[in-house]
Amino acid sequence: MAAERTIQILPTAADLFHAAAEEFTRVGRQAIAAQGRFAVALSGGSTPKALYSLLAASYPDFPWARTYLFFGDERHVPPTDPESNYRMVSESLLTRIAIPAQNVFRVKAENPDATAAAANYEKQIRRFFALTPAEFPRFDLILLGLGPDGHTASLFPDSPGLKENSKLVIANWVEKFKTHRISFTFPVLNNADEVIFLASGPDKAAMVHEVLEGKPTPPLPSQQVQPTNGRLLWMLDAPAAAKLSR
Ligand code: 6PG
């Protein structure tokens, strides 16, 4: 059954990131009120940087001490590498908010064995959510981006990770980059209470149209994110939404 999908289109990038920050903090406060904590997986790449900076700068009262930050994917590099999602999040958010170090769950992607790094991250997640072997974690929120080829997290078209249905985290071989990337799998993404795709700018317009209105076979990875019992929210600025028919 397809998830309930909502598309929000904001006039400018600034409006988009403001709306995304409002949604992030709304979901966070709601989770903390309901269960005493907010477990959120952050997306990487460049788009969310502005969101993380805004969260750091404009929400001084947000309960970061009750917030637990995870990474939906990570490049197979050390945390000091310019390509590292952790480094991007650290610079734009972590170094600017009062969040206890133990509330941040970093992928130890410096491990030369990507499969071991993925397995270690899976262990961290299983421990945090106190999962039985057959259970998947239910994140209150997972942030995702949209890649130029329709990938999301590090689930790329034609990559082996698309078929993974039992692990939580995999080392996914990405042929076009000739490297592994560590990524959540679809069962984790689709078990979230809320998933937000953030896309900004004219460069995303064609792929936004293809994902939201196209019917490619096989479906694009971003089309396979359909939370089974959660909310799917696409947050776009007008340039990224420019090719949508309605
Ligand atoms: C990553 C992300 C990836 C990203 C898209 C969009 O590690 O790069 O997880 O899925 O969200 O590639 O990237 P941009 O925001 O840079 O366009």
Side-chain angles (χ1 to χ4, degrees):
M1 180 193 80
E4 170 219 331
R5 184 180 82 181
T6 306
I7 301 171
Q8 271 180 16
I9 300 172
L10 290 304
T12 67
D15 297 321
L16 170 64
F17 293 117
H18 176 74
E22 288 293 298
E23 179 66 6
F24 181 103
T25 52
R26 181 193 70 77
V27 172
R29 291 183 190 284
Q30 183 180 314
I32 289 167
Q35 58 204 17
R37 72 177 192 198
F38 174 37
V40 51
L42 302 178
S43 61
S46 56
T47 301
K49 239 182 265 179
L51 166 60
Y52 303 149
S53 298
L54 190 56
L55 288 169
S58 307
Y59 296 83
D61 302 336
F62 187 73
W64 293 110
R66 310 292 288 274
T67 297
Y68 298 84
L69 296 178
F70 295 78
F71 291 78
D73 74 320
E74 183 57 278
R75 286 78 182 281
H76 189 204
V77 294
T80 50
D81 190 294
E83 281 295 300
S84 163
N85 287 334
Y86 174 81
R87 174 171 158 172
M88 180 272 287
V89 171
S90 184
E91 289 170 349
S92 55
L93 180 66
L94 302 183
T95 51
R96 302 165 58 197
I97 58 174
I99 188 165
Q102 65 268 26
N103 287 32
V104 181
F105 294 81
R106 180 177 71 82
V107 181
K108 295 181 173 55
E110 62 275 22
N111 186 335
D113 179 346
T115 303
N120 170 273
Y121 203 51
E122 173 151 343
K123 224 160 84 183
Q124 290 185 61
I125 294 170
R126 287 191 175 282
R127 190 178 313 125
F128 177 82
F129 285 95
L131 300 177
T132 64
E135 282 181 315
F136 290 99
R138 188 170 176 77
F139 283 91
D140 301 302
L141 177 61
I142 298 181
L143 296 179
L144 292 174
L146 175 65
D149 55 3
H151 81 260
T152 193
S154 284
L155 298 169
F156 285 76
D158 310 318
S159 67
L162 300 182
K163 300 186 190 68
E164 180 55 55
N165 285 317
S166 52
K167 291 190 178 80
L168 311 185
V169 184
I170 47 155
N172 197 22
W173 179 255
V174 185
E175 183 57 27
K176 71 177 184 180
F177 296 143
K178 297 278 187 263
T179 184
H180 284 103
R181 286 207 179 167
I182 290 106
S183 181
F184 280 8
T185 57
F186 282 127
V188 174
L189 300 182
N190 287 331
N191 200 42
D193 198 56
E194 177 161 322
V195 173
I196 298 176
F197 274 92
L198 263 188
S200 171
D203 296 354
K204 298 288 169 101
M207 190 43 77
V208 164
H209 164 67
E210 181 66 1
V211 168
L212 294 182
E213 297 180 336
K215 294 207 178 335
T217 44
L220 292 163
S222 294
Q223 292 177 310
Q224 293 178 252
V225 177
Q226 300 280 350
T228 41
N229 179 19
R231 187 168 176 225
L232 176 60
L233 176 56
W234 279 77
M235 299 187 79
L236 310 166
D237 59 19
K243 293 188 182 324
L244 291 180
S245 58
R246 54 197 183 287

